[in-house]
Amino acid sequence: MQRATLWSLLALSATTAGCGFNRDEGWLTEEVVTRTDAPPPIHGGTLLPVAAGTAVIVGDPDRGRLVRADLSSGATREVVLGRELELGRMVEDGAGHVHVLARRGGVVIELDGGTLEERARREVCDAPRGLAWEEAADRLHVACADGTLHTLGPSREHERTVWIGGDLRDVSVASDTLLVSRFRSAELVRVRADGTVEGARVLPPRTLSSPASTELSQT
């Protein structure tokens, strides 16, 4: 058994040497090319319906831009905000203004939903991740990776900060409460209207059934 294993290793070494992995290969001595500006991590862009569903705004974080497309005419317009910002979540408020997170820039950028003209930039935290608009109170809620949940009031001034705990990802409005998720631990935290934080609940794995009745376990 040991002799067979030894011959197998020798054969593998000989094959590898003949496949261009020798120490004297030219590509091993070529200069490594690196970018001066490191690209952002790969993550999906955001697709946001606006203007009562007559148009959509598409986030393109790789190019640091937003593109607005009219669904009836097909006309488009775009605005470039900068790759270094790493654009993330977007929401539209009741006045037709669009708010987009800068995951690296630490700000929420407010734009006109029709023209994409920038209206304001508001600092929130170092690493904003989740964003939601509360229609009843006209407030913006921003979940940050550092564990804080920030609320911007109707005038978009900072109104409240609630400490929840690290690794926050998304926030959504559910009636008179907020639901905030943690990414790695798959936990869901409920925040009451008065800022009271309820204990985290671990989300159970879901079972998804395809049309062919193939079950996939989401872990």
Side-chain angles (χ1 to χ4, degrees):
M1 179 68 69
Q2 292 180 349
R3 180 174 298 179
T5 302
L6 177 60
W7 280 111
S8 298
L9 291 174
L10 290 174
L12 177 61
S13 299
T15 303
T16 303
C19 293
F21 290 94
N22 295 322
R23 188 179 297 274
D24 59 350
E25 288 291 330
W27 63 271
L28 288 176
T29 60
E30 293 179 358
E31 183 181 357
V32 177
V33 178
T34 59
R35 291 182 50 165
T36 56
D37 57 331
I42 298 175
H43 61 84
T46 301
L47 180 66
L48 176 69
V50 295
T54 61
V56 294
I57 296 179
V58 182
D60 183 1
D62 289 342
R63 297 172 180 82
R65 65 173 183 161
L66 302 176
V67 180
R68 186 187 191 277
D70 187 281
L71 297 181
S72 58
S73 67
T76 62
R77 67 171 65 235
E78 70 174 70
V79 59
V80 178
L81 298 173
R83 291 177 58 252
E84 71 281 357
L85 295 176
E86 194 181 329
L87 302 177
R89 300 283 193 266
M90 293 187 292
V91 295
E92 181 188 26
D93 65 21
H97 300 153
V98 171
H99 306 267
V100 56
L101 289 183
R103 291 165 55 98
R104 285 191 181 180
V107 297
V108 178
I109 304 173
E110 180 179 345
L111 307 166
D112 183 282
T115 64
L116 296 187
E117 179 181 355
E118 185 173 332
R119 295 173 50 86
R121 296 193 181 197
R122 299 179 175 91
E123 295 184 0
V124 282
C125 60
D126 290 337
R129 291 294 182 265
L131 179 65
W133 176 61
E134 183 183 355
E135 181 178 2
D138 189 20
R139 299 192 296 181
L140 292 175
H141 302 281
V142 183
C144 299
D146 63 6
T148 55
L149 175 67
H150 300 265
T151 297
L152 306 181
S155 63
R156 302 302 174 241
E157 296 297 325
H158 194 277
E159 187 175 281
R160 184 182 69 184
T161 298
V162 176
W163 168 254
I164 297 177
D167 196 32
L168 302 185
R169 179 52 60 95
D170 279 311
V171 55
S172 64
V173 179
S175 185
D176 61 341
T177 64
L178 300 175
L179 298 178
V180 185
S181 65
R182 286 197 177 99
F183 182 57
R184 293 177 180 84
S185 58
E187 293 177 335
L188 195 63
V189 179
R190 185 184 298 273
V191 181
R192 297 292 183 183
D194 61 359
T196 303
V197 179
E198 293 188 354
R201 181 172 66 89
V202 179
L203 301 179
R206 291 184 178 180
T207 300
L208 305 177
S209 298
S210 70
S213 298
T214 301
E215 293 188 349
L216 302 174
S217 178
Q218 178 183 336
T219 58

